[in-house]
Amino acid sequence: MSTPLPKRRPQVQRFGLAGIGAAVLFVGIASPAAAATDVVLPLEPAEVALLNIPVENYSSTAMDPMNGPTGVPTPVVVQYGETLTVDLADGLDPSNAVVEIEFPDTAADTDSDPDKVYSTDPSATDPLLVTPVPGTNDLTIALPADDTVNGPLATLRIVPVDTDPAVLGPEFTVDPEIVYQLDLSATAPTNTTLYPELLAFAQVPCALSSPTPCPVAVTAGSGLVLDLTADSALRDLGLTDLTGIELELASIDDPTAAPVPLTVEASGSTARAVLPAELAAGSYALVLGQPTASGFSIVLAELAVAAAPAPVAAPSAAPTTAAPSTQAVVANTGLRSNTGVTAPAAETGTGTVAAGAGLLLLAGAGGVAVARTRRRPAVETGTGEA
């Protein structure tokens, strides 16, 4: 099991799942007679992709963890000649990175190369001074002085940024580039520190790179149990339990349908949600979102949802007793067992017939659910828990 990371810093911004702020859907629960067993989904991804988000370039309302930042970035206002600190997320290693400050072309100079580039590359014409912060993976950058020609808009680029194998396991890969938009027009020192957030993407039960879909078979109205296993790579992100997890369903068959948020009950390393009983059969993307020590974790899973079983039919009313015949009925008073129990004089059989009809209806509904043609093979991971 990997060693969890310490809590990073209080400034970590929490990304919310798109649509989670909407009214929570009241989840229907199947009747006990037709309830399906819980399906356990281990949160143990084989691959985790990491992406550094320049959160200071975007407002909190523009952060969509499903699609990344939206809108036009707003440059971070800093001052020429000041020191800029980049506080990298835990588990990243910038020791091999080249840091550059690029000033874009002017309107009169539209070639593909920037007008001015300050760089830590040894061959750079205009060197950039960058100093690692002792005992951390952070960087301090001495911003260039104002040459009165270039700027104030500029791009900060740090590449490549690798994962630290002493912290993050082999399951992790990271986008090697961190990019920030800067505006060096501040008239006074701002003592700016940038905190790029780490957005982690994963998929279960198959890997992100798997060419073969791996939908999990579930039934509408049934319970879904999420299990943060002891060996889960997600624990390397500082997750110790499922506190704060959020869930929503998005229809794959109908991309225009609104996402359905699910109510979650978390208890330590497990969490449980109940799928709406009225959920239509089909394919759905299950999206799991949770804040981490350095950003946010998104785990995706595909669900192959079968319709909920039909409820058990209520027993029909007993038929009206026919009027007695005028023919005399002779009672057999001598029919008695040697145990002293007297046989009943008449047996209508109504209850037996009604119960049998109900069982047939239930069996028929179950047969339809099982025999439903699926678009693709499903992975069944149910347990015996009711």
Side-chain angles (χ1 to χ4, degrees), residues 2 5 50 90-92 163-172 198 233 236-237:
S2 302
L5 293 173
L50 303 175
D90 300 312
L92 299 184
T163 57
D164 183 351
V167 179
L168 298 177
E171 302 91 345
F172 291 87
L198 204 58
D236 287 358
L237 298 173

Side-chain angles (χ1 to χ4, degrees), residues 10-371:
Q11 296 95 328
V12 168
Q13 177 177 348
R14 179 183 183 279
F15 300 115
L17 285 176
I20 282 295
V24 175
L25 180 70
F26 287 100
V27 179
I29 301 177
S31 63
T37 58
D38 283 358
V39 171
V40 178
L41 184 61
L43 302 182
E44 193 169 336
E47 299 172 354
V48 182
L50 303 175
L51 180 66
N52 283 282
I53 305 296
V55 291
E56 292 85 357
N57 282 157
Y58 297 89
S59 67
S60 59
T61 58
M63 298 305 300
D64 179 359
M66 289 298 296
N67 301 303
T70 59
V72 178
T74 301
V76 178
V77 178
V78 292
Q79 187 191 40
Y80 285 107
E82 79 166 349
T83 297
L84 176 65
T85 301
V86 180
D87 185 340
L88 296 177
D90 300 312
L92 299 184
D93 179 11
S95 59
N96 296 320
V98 173
V99 182
E100 294 182 337
I101 301 289
E102 300 176 354
F103 289 93
D105 291 331
T106 62
D109 182 8
T110 58
D111 59 29
S112 58
D113 296 326
D115 281 353
K116 191 81 167 180
V117 178
Y118 295 86
S119 175
T120 59
D121 190 304
S123 63
T125 303
D126 298 288
L128 182 67
L129 179 59
V130 175
T131 306
V133 178
T136 73
N137 62 348
D138 303 341
L139 302 173
T140 58
I141 304 169
L143 296 177
D146 186 1
D147 63 4
T148 71
V149 176
N150 298 288
L153 298 181
T155 299
L156 167 64
R157 195 180 309 275
I158 306 173
V159 60
V161 175
D162 302 314
T163 57
D164 183 351
V167 179
L168 298 177
E171 302 91 345
F172 291 87
T173 57
V174 62
D175 185 330
E177 188 175 58
I178 299 177
V179 178
Y180 268 93
Q181 303 303 318
L182 304 178
D183 180 353
L184 287 79
S185 63
T187 57
T190 55
N191 298 318
T192 304
T193 299
L194 301 178
Y195 298 96
E197 299 294 351
L198 204 58
L199 188 58
F201 283 100
Q203 178 178 276
V204 292
C206 56
L208 280 170
S209 62
S210 173
T212 305
C214 53
V216 177
V218 294
T219 303
S222 65
L224 185 63
V225 176
L226 310 173
D227 181 14
L228 181 65
T229 60
D231 293 327
S232 173
L234 298 177
R235 291 183 178 268
D236 287 358
L237 298 173
L239 296 177
T240 59
D241 55 41
L242 295 181
T243 301
I245 193 172
E246 295 178 350
L247 293 180
E248 72 175 22
L249 286 176
S251 174
I252 297 176
D253 301 327
D254 182 9
T256 64
V260 179
L262 302 179
T263 300
V264 187
E265 295 182 358
S267 177
S269 61
T270 61
R272 185 178 186 272
V274 178
L275 301 179
E278 66 275 16
L279 192 65
S283 296
Y284 292 84
L286 178 70
V287 186
L288 300 76
Q290 185 179 13
T292 69
S294 299
F296 205 78
S297 168
I298 300 291
V299 180
L300 306 176
E302 183 179 349
L303 302 184
V305 178
V312 179
S316 58
T320 304
T321 303
S325 169
T326 56
Q327 183 179 357
V329 177
V330 179
N332 183 0
T333 58
L335 188 61
R336 180 182 299 271
S337 72
N338 57 10
T339 60
V341 177
T342 304
E347 178 62 68
T348 63
T350 303
T352 304
V353 173
L359 291 174
L360 289 174
L361 286 175
L362 181 59
V368 171
V370 172

